[in-house]
Amino acid sequence: MLEQATLSVGGDTYHLPVVDGAEGDRAINVTKLRETTGFITLDEGYYNTGSCRSAITFIDGDQGILRYRGIPIEQLARKSTFVETCWLLIYGELPTREQLRCWSGLFTKYEMIHEGLYKHFDGFPSTGHPMAILSAMINAMSCYEPSLIEMESPATFQIAAARLISKIRTIAAASYKASIGLPIVYPKPHLDYCSNFLHMMFSIPFRDYEPDPDTVAALQLILILHADHEQNCSSSTVRMVASSGANMFASCAAGVCALWGPLHGGANVAVVEMLQHLHDDNVDLNDYIRQVKDKNSTLRLMGFGHRVYKNYDPRASIMKELADNLLGKMRERDPLLEIAKRLEDVALNDPYFVERRLYPNVDFYSGVILRAMGIPVNMFTVIFAMGRLPGWIANWREVNEGGATLYRPRQIYTGGLARDYVPIDERKSA
Ligand code: SDX
């Protein structure tokens, strides 16, 4: 007999099935709650609601555990590459040598974008936000690949996935070049994924940018760390859009928009802006923390706290070590890194943060690293999107496996009761 939860309400008692996950996570299945009880559940912000079953990523927020398809993030960070991690997330297993060769070959084959797409950049103002451009261009890309809109075969899916992951680099770098009025740089087929992106970002006509191995390795690590994170805001958005039967490009373009917000992927920009303010205005860190803790203040310690992690985000630990190593090798002392470390130290010894189990998250140190790599601040969240794209695609594929079921939540209505239409001459201003 499967375990059941008992619900007593309105004088009646109901039994609801319990669902057990692979890692001991447990849920009460309320799929039939409304038809059997007339009640729905209400969980604003989805603090306690599982939207799906997923086999892609596992997080244990209390233990600070993150695994992609069962493999700990710490191992992937040390041993894998971003291209390999993309395959792992999408297909569930590490690729064989031959699979990786073919997969990597698709990235090279599809790194260019249609010449017509380059013309779009003439239409964007130089002040256009790279996230707006990225979302628009992902959808625009699908106009040039109509055959990829209808995913009628696994082969079509694989090509569409490779095209998107490869071309997001080209689009991102082109949006940067267009924003600073420099010529767009084409990808080079012999360069690896990360080196090619850095080449397109920083090379200029007749002088190629030669990325140093540490910068390439840092970008690789950042992309791996950002590649997926179970049902975060943007991945849930991708699943919501995918559930309507929308194509991969439209779903991922929606994910870009969700990621943009400062409470989500936009936090890496907000962290650096916060650190820059603390540095430029010589703000006393204890005073700043006092403002953050003030109930009347809307100020938040950006890069701190997480809906799931109530322990140190394992990605933040790796990022902190990377920041130390990269800046150490560059023999660059970035005052913002020193401020970040002091801020972390003050916060982690303050009861406000300890009681609420607020720790640094993935965004707390990433911006300092991206700055050291020469990435402009307004491109930070674009880098996050580049990393998260394979996770979005893996979620899109999971929604479509066995046919998408439309995601359509219910609500508790709090508006006005029934009333009649009033002709305009009889209306009184409220
Ligand atoms: C990402 O979901 C994911 O997996 C996301 C992500 C991914 O890889 O996809 O990990 C990437 O988005 C990381 C998070 C980046 N965002 C930030 O760094 C923005 C700053 N952090 C917060 O805004 C906040 O911590 C959230 C939004 C991340 C999570 O907030 P929750 O889960 O909604 O927590 P909450 O607002 O209910 O806070 C609980 C308490 C509150 O205080 P009380 O009302 O109990 O007194 O903690 C406080 C909050 O005020 N709090 C903070 C805080 N975060 C929470 N106080 C000060 N500074 C903060 N950063």
Side-chain angles (χ1 to χ4, degrees):
M1 170 77 168
L2 289 176
E3 187 176 356
Q4 294 189 318
T6 301
L7 173 67
S8 294
V9 63
D12 294 316
T13 298
Y14 305 92
H15 301 289
L16 298 165
V18 169
V19 175
D20 285 304
E23 288 279 355
D25 36 340
R26 314 199 76 194
I28 297 169
N29 189 333
V30 293
T31 307
K32 302 213 179 299
L33 181 70
R34 189 168 182 275
E35 70 183 67
T36 49
T37 71
F39 284 80
I40 64 169
T41 59
L42 179 64
D43 183 16
E44 290 170 300
Y46 302 133
Y47 281 74
N48 309 284
T49 295
S51 62
C52 62
R53 293 175 170 87
S54 179
I56 303 168
T57 291
F58 173 71
I59 298 174
D60 181 325
D62 294 323
Q63 304 298 319
I65 291 172
L66 169 58
R67 301 189 195 124
Y68 295 165
R69 300 287 189 178
I71 301 177
I73 191 67
E74 294 81 1
Q75 293 185 29
L76 291 167
R78 275 199 315 275
K79 301 175 180 177
S80 190
T81 64
F82 177 62
V83 170
E84 180 181 74
T85 299
C86 290
W87 179 281
L88 171 68
L89 285 167
I90 292 169
Y91 289 107
E93 296 296 337
L94 289 167
T96 62
R97 192 177 299 279
E98 180 56 17
Q99 285 170 332
L100 186 58
R101 187 189 65 77
C102 295
W103 180 237
S104 187
L106 288 176
F107 282 42
T108 302
K109 180 177 179 184
Y110 294 121
E111 63 193 12
M112 301 275 284
I113 60 176
H114 191 289
E115 280 300 303
L117 273 173
Y118 281 115
K119 294 185 172 52
H120 287 250
F121 291 103
D122 298 335
F124 292 118
S126 61
T127 52
H129 195 290
M131 288 295 275
I133 294 170
L134 181 62
S135 181
M137 290 300 282
I138 287 176
N139 263 320
M141 204 196 305
S142 66
C143 301
Y144 292 84
E145 328 268 6
S147 63
L148 298 179
I149 298 294
E150 304 310 323
M151 259 351 132
E152 76 280 351
S153 77
T156 315
F157 164 80
Q158 183 167 99
I159 290 171
R163 271 182 137 113
L164 198 40
I165 300 171
S166 183
K167 293 177 195 287
I168 193 172
R169 294 174 292 181
T170 315
I171 289 170
S175 67
Y176 168 60
K177 287 292 197 193
S179 73
I180 57 175
L182 287 180
I184 289 171
V185 174
Y186 282 52
K188 283 189 167 183
H190 70 280
L191 293 178
D192 64 57
Y193 190 90
C194 293
S195 302
N196 222 342
F197 172 68
L198 294 167
H199 154 64
M200 289 187 276
M201 280 287 290
F202 300 123
S203 290
I204 56 175
F206 312 112
R207 195 183 75 219
D208 277 355
Y209 169 77
E210 300 291 341
D212 69 80
D214 294 322
T215 302
V216 175
L219 179 59
Q220 177 107 262
L221 183 50
I222 284 179
L223 295 179
I224 290 172
L225 294 177
H226 285 84
D228 195 49
H229 213 240
E230 57 136 88
Q231 296 313 310
N232 59 85
C233 179
S234 54
S235 297
S236 296
T237 301
V238 170
R239 291 185 81 109
M240 173 69 83
V241 175
S243 78
S244 74
N247 65 74
M248 184 196 295
F249 297 84
S251 303
C252 292
V256 169
C257 296
L259 188 72
W260 193 351
L263 292 187
H264 187 18
N268 53 19
V269 174
V271 168
V272 164
E273 288 171 347
M274 172 185 74
L275 296 173
Q276 197 70 60
H277 157 61
L278 295 173
H279 173 263
D280 297 349
D281 302 330
N282 198 22
V283 175
D284 176 90
L285 298 190
N286 290 298
D287 284 348
Y288 188 76
I289 291 290
R290 259 193 293 280
Q291 290 175 57
V292 165
K293 296 191 300 184
D294 179 351
K295 275 315 235 185
N296 302 316
S297 154
T298 57
L299 207 55
R300 287 207 155 185
L301 185 56
M302 300 311 278
F304 251 71
H306 198 277
R307 178 59 61 77
V308 175
Y309 288 122
K310 300 309 172 188
N311 198 325
Y312 216 103
D313 182 334
R315 302 168 298 175
S317 312
I318 299 169
M319 286 280 193
K320 183 177 179 180
E321 187 184 337
L322 174 63
D324 270 333
N325 295 342
L326 186 65
L327 289 163
K329 285 185 178 172
M330 292 177 159
R331 279 186 286 286
E332 269 186 34
R333 264 183 40 72
D334 182 346
L336 301 196
L337 177 58
E338 301 316 312
I339 291 173
K341 287 181 176 177
R342 284 177 29 226
L343 203 52
E344 174 189 344
D345 191 44
V346 168
L348 293 187
N349 290 287
D350 185 302
Y352 173 92
F353 294 88
V354 174
E355 288 157 11
R356 291 166 179 79
R357 300 203 290 173
L358 302 175
Y359 293 87
N361 59 51
V362 70
D363 294 301
F364 192 63
Y365 287 105
S366 61
V368 171
I369 298 165
L370 292 169
R371 247 165 68 96
M373 293 163 61
I375 304 285
V377 175
N378 68 350
M379 288 288 288
F380 284 5
T381 313
V382 170
I383 303 292
F384 193 146
M386 280 171 56
R388 186 52 51 89
L389 188 55
W392 290 341
I393 291 171
N395 277 279
W396 183 89
R397 183 167 183 258
E398 204 169 55
V399 167
N400 283 280
E401 272 169 347
T405 301
L406 186 68
Y407 287 21
R408 201 278 187 212
R410 294 282 182 153
Q411 64 166 25
I412 289 294
Y413 176 68
T414 58
L417 304 182
R419 56 183 175 151
D420 295 324
Y421 180 84
V422 178
I424 192 162
D425 295 332
E426 298 170 26
R427 294 173 200 162
K428 301 176 187 64
S429 55

